[in-house]
Amino acid sequence: MQIESLSLFLAVVESKSLTKASKQFCITPQGASASIRTLEKQLDTQLFVHSSGGALEPTKEGLELAKEAERVVGAYRSLQTVAAMQKSGRGRWAQLHVVVSPFVHQSIAFLIEEYVLRVDPELRTSIEVQSSFEIAKQFDKADDNTLYLIDLPLELKPFENSYPADFIKKVVFDRDYFKPFLLSSFRLICSDNSAYAKRASVKWSEIETEKLACHNDSFLLGVIGQQTNSGEAVQPGLMTMDPDILDTAVNEYGMVGLCSSLPEPLRMQCQKAINGKTIPLEPKISHVAGILGASHNEQAGKLFDYVQRSLRQSFPTYVEENDPALFFKINRPAFNKKRPRK
């Protein structure tokens, strides 16, 4: 259960409309509906009923839970305020704010938590999920008290116009700035009952007409648009930042989703791993996860060392066969002509 799910629940209680509430959270009405159903399942309670006029009215139990949800969300916001006041890093109450793109969060969130516990159990940590495009657009305004973990296309050239030019130069040619630690490729994820479940591979074009559930990430939407005939205006059936909702969409509502080709033991360790069958997508589209600003941010450098060491020790074969440094080998020649003169 996530704070955003409770916040969405409160928005629906207030507006009595999934459509109005979904606009506040920049998700589709289908995504909002799936979030409410997931919350009802987790709480084992029906939260809303439809009135004769079509509005969503909270049930008696829903109203009682809304009161508690307001307290929880209010307490969380108070915690954020306190954390923001302590971002200066004074003493043992320093705040570590981590901004991650959705696939990075799905892949290694547990390693971030392990890092904090081993390095400084009293370090106050908050994790914020943002689109990889949004992280890239703000790179020149990066906060030195914040860590930025992002996933980028293994081949940046097709996405050249989607990222700021200065950002591309920085991540490609300043090897100490962007530190990639995990290379993976997109895979289809479906339920055991899906027609795809026994397939050896699936073409991107085949999923164009499917009810697709995916992370609310512009980078991912760009990939889908390029690999299908839908173009950049692709609109999946469900977009969300909550992996619990993706899991429900895939396993209970017959939708298909997208995940990364992580080694199975790593997938099992991920607290937010999605259940289901994973099948390779063709053509193979890979992406790398890494940390920005490691050259000037001490905490970023330490986290990178910890994550890289953990992955290499636990999954040496996978890391050897999927070397994240391939990012530089591919993109430096591709952008070399545009490299700024010194």
Side-chain angles (χ1 to χ4, degrees):
M1 188 182 304
Q2 297 188 351
I3 288 294
E4 73 168 16
S5 297
L6 292 178
S7 299
L8 175 64
F9 164 51
L10 291 174
V12 177
V13 171
E14 181 178 357
S15 66
K16 298 184 179 181
S17 168
L18 283 171
T19 301
K20 292 180 180 179
S22 65
K23 289 181 180 179
Q24 295 181 37
F25 290 81
C26 298
I27 60 175
T28 61
Q30 295 90 338
S33 178
S35 179
I36 295 300
R37 288 196 297 267
T38 298
L39 191 60
E40 288 180 327
K41 180 179 178 181
Q42 292 171 336
L43 297 173
D44 193 24
T45 304
Q46 183 177 358
L47 299 175
F48 296 97
V49 292
H50 285 279
S51 68
S52 57
L56 277 180
E57 296 287 349
T59 61
K60 179 181 178 181
E61 294 80 6
L63 285 174
E64 290 298 320
L65 289 170
K67 295 177 183 178
E68 294 301 321
E70 286 178 350
R71 295 190 184 98
V72 172
V73 173
Y76 178 75
R77 289 171 179 166
S78 296
L79 180 63
Q80 286 182 313
T81 301
V82 173
M85 294 173 62
Q86 297 173 347
K87 266 191 177 181
S88 57
R90 295 187 296 271
R92 301 290 286 177
W93 291 93
Q95 168 74 10
L96 177 62
H97 184 54
V98 185
V99 176
V100 299
S101 55
F103 271 102
V104 178
H105 186 246
Q106 181 182 322
S107 303
I108 63 141
F110 74 98
L111 284 178
I112 299 174
E113 295 174 1
E114 283 184 4
Y115 167 77
V116 172
L117 289 174
R118 294 193 181 193
V119 174
D120 188 350
E122 295 185 25
L123 192 64
R124 298 298 184 265
T125 308
S126 62
I127 297 180
E128 178 183 355
V129 183
Q130 282 189 13
S131 156
S132 58
F133 280 164
E134 290 303 312
I135 295 174
K137 289 176 182 177
Q138 303 171 40
F139 87 100
D140 57 340
K141 301 176 183 178
D143 178 1
D144 288 342
N145 294 316
T146 300
L147 301 186
Y148 298 88
L149 284 73
I150 189 172
D151 59 296
L152 296 170
L154 179 60
E155 296 184 56
L156 271 174
K157 199 67 177 177
F159 298 90
E160 181 177 8
N161 295 328
S162 299
Y163 293 97
D166 289 343
F167 174 79
I168 291 180
K169 294 174 184 177
K170 193 74 173 175
V171 297
V172 171
F173 295 110
D174 186 348
R175 196 162 185 167
D176 290 329
Y177 176 74
F178 176 56
K179 294 281 191 178
F181 51 74
L182 183 64
L183 169 64
S184 55
S185 56
F186 290 114
R187 295 172 69 97
L188 182 77
I189 187 163
C190 62
S191 68
D192 294 338
N193 299 323
S194 171
Y196 297 116
K198 295 183 179 180
R199 295 272 296 275
S201 64
V202 176
K203 295 181 179 179
W204 285 90
S205 57
E206 293 182 76
I207 67 173
E208 183 176 358
T209 58
E210 291 287 347
K211 293 180 179 179
L212 181 64
C214 67
H215 290 300
N216 189 10
D217 190 334
S218 301
F219 158 55
L220 182 56
L221 297 182
V223 171
I224 298 169
Q226 285 192 2
Q227 298 305 316
T228 65
N229 295 322
S230 50
E232 295 183 0
V234 59
Q235 287 294 327
L238 184 153
M239 293 186 293
T240 178
M241 290 294 191
D242 190 336
D244 290 334
I245 297 176
L246 291 180
D247 188 71
T248 299
V250 168
N251 290 290
E252 295 188 23
Y253 297 101
M255 302 181 78
V256 296
L258 297 175
C259 65
S260 293
S261 59
L262 304 176
E264 190 60 25
L266 178 57
R267 275 173 48 81
M268 296 301 292
Q269 287 185 42
C270 295
Q271 294 181 355
K272 298 298 182 182
I274 301 174
N275 299 310
K277 297 284 187 179
T278 68
I279 302 116
L281 279 163
E282 296 181 351
K284 181 179 179 180
I285 305 295
S286 299
H287 54 109
V288 292
I291 297 178
L292 299 178
S295 58
H296 65 271
N297 189 316
E298 181 182 0
Q299 201 69 260
K302 289 181 178 179
L303 177 58
F304 169 77
D305 290 340
Y306 179 80
V307 171
Q308 183 184 56
R309 184 170 60 252
S310 297
L311 292 174
R312 287 181 174 177
Q313 288 177 349
S314 301
F315 314 102
T317 302
Y318 181 87
V319 174
E320 183 178 349
E321 294 176 351
N322 299 272
D323 183 8
L326 187 60
F327 174 83
F328 300 110
K329 297 176 183 178
I330 289 176
N331 290 297
R332 283 181 173 172
F335 289 97
N336 192 50
K337 293 181 180 180
K338 294 187 176 183
R339 187 174 183 179
R341 295 180 180 180
K342 294 184 178 180

